[in-house]
Amino acid sequence: MAPLGLGGLGGLLLNLASGTPCAGDGHAGGHNSCDSCDNDISFLQAELRFATRAGRAPPAPLLKPIGRSFFSEDPANSAKWWLRYSSSEQLPPEKMMTVGLDQSSESAAVMVKSKGEEVEKLYFLNVNDWKSPSNLTMKDFVQAAKLSWGSVMKREQLYSPWTDFHDGHIVETLRFDQVEMDMQPFQLYETGVVQRAYIPNTTWTMEWRTDPDSDRVFPSSAEYAELVMFKNPDKCRNHWNDEFPERAYWKSTFPVLNASAAKEFALDVLHAKPLEKENPYPWPRQPGCIAVQWASLPQAAGEPFQLHFVEDFVYDTVLHSIPEFLQYQQDFLQTDVSKGCINSFMLNNLILETESLDPFARRLDELSVPYFVFAIEDRYALLFSFPGNEGVTLQLQSPHLSYVAPRPVEFCK
Ligand SMILES: *[C@@H]1O[C@H](CO)[C@@H](O)[C@H](O)[C@H]1NC(C)=O
Ligand SMILES: *[C@@H]1O[C@H](CO)[C@@H](O)[C@H](O)[C@H]1NC(C)=O
Ligand SMILES: *[C@@H]1O[C@H](CO)[C@@H](O)[C@H](O)[C@H]1NC(C)=O
């Protein structure tokens, strides 16, 4: 049976909207007209049922951001940083649930909160570090991220592509008073609306955003201002339609080799929606310009959660570049994946919760994209990286899985 085209239903909705007036039309004795409305509505309901039976695609599954997992060479130190500089609490072991927890030599986790509400869980895990055919390990890349951030702190450049690995919060989760008191290395755009910091012992940084119509963040001492205030590094960005997010944990950003391929993959596999507003950077990428593609994951309530994919060939990296890093992960996914074990990099993942893992695993199979399915505690986890843009790695968690059998978690040697 052919699925009902959008046209049929769309036309019907149009009829309803422009057709017989319904209740509230101002007719005191509008009994008859409302009868015909009821008929139209029950017909619409029947049509919808028919459409569902006939194979109309069910609504896209929701993907709720739970938090993030990081490879950390020093989990206790990474967590300590969050506890001191953000509104977070230690997450007790019984509330930890992520891939690799039981295999970690060391782990720590925090729950970030904003105004008493849970924002996200952050896991820091240290595991047996996988070595690539060119003898690179995650520790090398942690060093690269740290030194690249250092090049910005030393004012050798305004930004580094390693900084594109970041999550975005609204400023309420940041304890800037504490950051300033400790004279921490920090980046504050001179507009006062964007703040950044490096997460110690990881390949990640963090971004906070301040509502420009409320209190912008500025250091209280001139001495600290001199250390942390930077010119806006967003090469070629158009700021005319900047928006201030309302969701406390509002985005996850990734450096990629091909931003349109990353976006297309998110639209296809995650049922993400493309950005509604105009791209703030020139597209396709122009020489000397950063280029981005954004997509969003619809949520049950409130604003969508955004995924940002960035092509940055403007700024420099120290020690190891992003393409080198992505090559490392491609090497892994092309050589070791059949063993069913994951590598230390895959601990760097964005954790999203969904109703069932089945539709995602099925679609990845159709696209021949390697993935891993594990049983953890009372649920299942599906881990995969975006093909060609392997820095984008997701961990989907769900209580439901029937399409494939889960395996025990194992790390490749
Ligand atoms: C990696 O290390 C091994 C053993 O230390 C060495 O034999 C090999 O040549 C190295 N490979 C590369 C590409 O450097
Ligand atoms: C973690 O980072 C801190 C601060 O940069 C550093 O002093 C420490 O040595 C790192 N830990 C490890 C195990 O490398
Ligand atoms: C990026 O990926 C798209 C497919 O989504 C492809 O058409 C395009 O050629 C790729 N660009 C480059 C520079 O490889």
Side-chain angles (χ1 to χ4, degrees):
M1 204 189 313
L4 184 73
L6 246 185
L9 208 57
L12 186 71
L13 286 167
L14 210 67
N15 266 345
L16 263 183
S18 60
T20 330
C22 211
D25 60 17
H27 289 266
H31 193 83
N32 286 338
S33 61
C34 269
D35 263 352
S36 69
C37 255
D38 286 348
N39 283 342
D40 275 355
I41 286 167
S42 57
F43 173 59
L44 174 63
Q45 284 166 343
E47 194 82 333
L48 277 169
R49 276 195 298 275
F50 169 76
T52 309
R53 269 205 313 275
R56 167 180 290 278
L62 296 176
L63 289 160
K64 179 184 170 200
I66 299 298
R68 181 169 279 289
S69 158
F70 303 91
F71 172 87
S72 171
E73 59 182 10
D74 197 340
N77 193 49
S78 303
K80 199 176 96 193
W81 185 87
W82 278 95
L83 292 172
R84 185 154 179 86
Y85 301 119
S86 78
S87 53
S88 27
E89 300 167 358
Q90 191 100 39
L91 191 66
E94 69 273 14
K95 288 197 173 164
M96 292 192 195
M97 187 157 26
T98 190
V99 166
L101 199 58
D102 296 340
Q103 293 71 30
S104 299
S105 55
E106 206 194 330
S107 62
V110 301
M111 166 67 83
V112 186
K113 293 189 160 182
S114 167
K115 299 181 184 128
E117 300 273 313
E118 296 185 355
V119 173
E120 68 165 328
K121 292 175 181 168
L122 301 173
Y123 295 97
F124 301 98
L125 310 173
N126 195 355
V127 291
N128 180 24
D129 206 357
W130 182 77
K131 195 181 265 191
S132 75
S134 42
N135 288 341
L136 289 170
T137 67
M138 271 305 285
K139 287 205 177 71
D140 295 311
F141 295 113
V142 169
Q143 201 62 16
K146 181 176 161 179
L147 294 178
S148 298
W149 171 258
S151 74
V152 178
M153 292 298 100
K154 285 190 271 172
R155 297 189 179 262
E156 291 164 5
Q157 56 179 349
L158 288 176
Y159 197 82
S160 151
W162 279 101
T163 311
D164 287 325
F165 275 124
H166 64 254
D167 276 3
H169 283 181
I170 58 172
V171 79
E172 276 75 6
T173 71
L174 172 68
R175 294 180 61 195
F176 186 69
D177 51 342
Q178 199 74 47
V179 172
E180 178 166 7
M181 191 194 297
D182 294 353
M183 301 284 279
Q184 278 286 299
F186 200 77
Q187 183 174 39
L188 196 61
Y189 291 12
E190 52 188 20
T191 50
V193 300
V194 176
Q195 298 86 41
R196 298 186 186 281
Y198 169 64
I199 306 173
N201 312 101
T202 70
T203 51
W204 280 71
T205 63
M206 190 64 202
E207 175 187 311
W208 289 269
R209 205 161 261 266
T210 307
D211 184 349
D213 296 330
S214 73
D215 287 342
R216 300 181 184 213
V217 173
F218 291 111
S220 56
S221 80
E223 187 196 3
Y224 193 54
E226 197 150 310
L227 282 176
V228 300
M229 303 282 281
F230 285 78
K231 283 201 188 330
N232 188 328
D234 298 352
K235 283 278 170 67
C236 311
R237 183 172 184 157
N238 169 349
H239 287 278
W240 70 269
N241 60 0
D242 277 3
E243 283 166 57
F244 177 71
E246 276 161 28
R247 179 175 288 279
Y249 175 28
W250 66 279
K251 72 160 176 181
S252 202
T253 300
F254 306 85
V256 294
L257 295 178
N258 185 331
S260 59
K263 187 187 81 174
E264 291 306 321
F265 188 80
L267 263 47
D268 179 343
V269 175
L270 306 176
H271 306 280
K273 300 258 185 295
L275 184 72
E276 271 171 30
K277 62 181 187 180
E278 201 181 306
N279 194 323
Y281 289 90
W283 187 268
R285 181 156 52 91
Q286 303 296 310
C289 289
I290 288 169
V292 304
Q293 286 292 330
W294 293 349
S296 61
L297 301 174
Q299 300 300 309
E303 279 184 338
F305 177 77
Q306 301 185 24
L307 298 174
H308 290 189
F309 306 113
V310 185
E311 291 180 19
D312 174 0
F313 298 94
V314 176
Y315 292 105
D316 291 328
T317 48
V318 182
L319 220 56
H320 301 291
S321 67
I322 296 295
E324 216 181 324
F325 176 55
L326 298 184
Q327 186 61 52
Y328 161 89
Q329 197 53 19
Q330 278 168 22
D331 284 348
F332 167 71
L333 289 169
Q334 280 160 17
T335 58
D336 281 29
V337 70
S338 56
K339 295 183 201 154
C341 54
I342 55 171
N343 71 353
S344 32
F345 169 73
M346 292 197 86
L347 288 181
N348 274 359
N349 58 65
L350 169 65
I351 307 169
L352 301 163
E353 192 175 59
T354 192
E355 201 173 272
S356 169
L357 298 182
D358 289 357
F360 299 99
R362 194 175 293 123
R363 186 68 188 130
L364 292 171
D365 265 340
E366 284 166 6
L367 297 170
S368 304
V369 173
Y371 64 88
F372 304 83
V373 183
F374 301 118
I376 49 164
E377 311 262 332
D378 63 347
R379 59 181 60 195
Y380 304 99
L382 171 71
L383 239 71
F384 61 96
S385 298
F386 280 30
N389 294 301
E390 282 75 6
V392 194
T393 298
L394 304 184
Q395 176 182 166
L396 308 191
Q397 292 188 352
S398 173
H400 183 264
L401 169 75
S402 63
Y403 173 70
V404 281
R407 306 173 61 116
V409 181
E410 215 188 310
F411 284 85
C412 301
K413 295 269 181 290

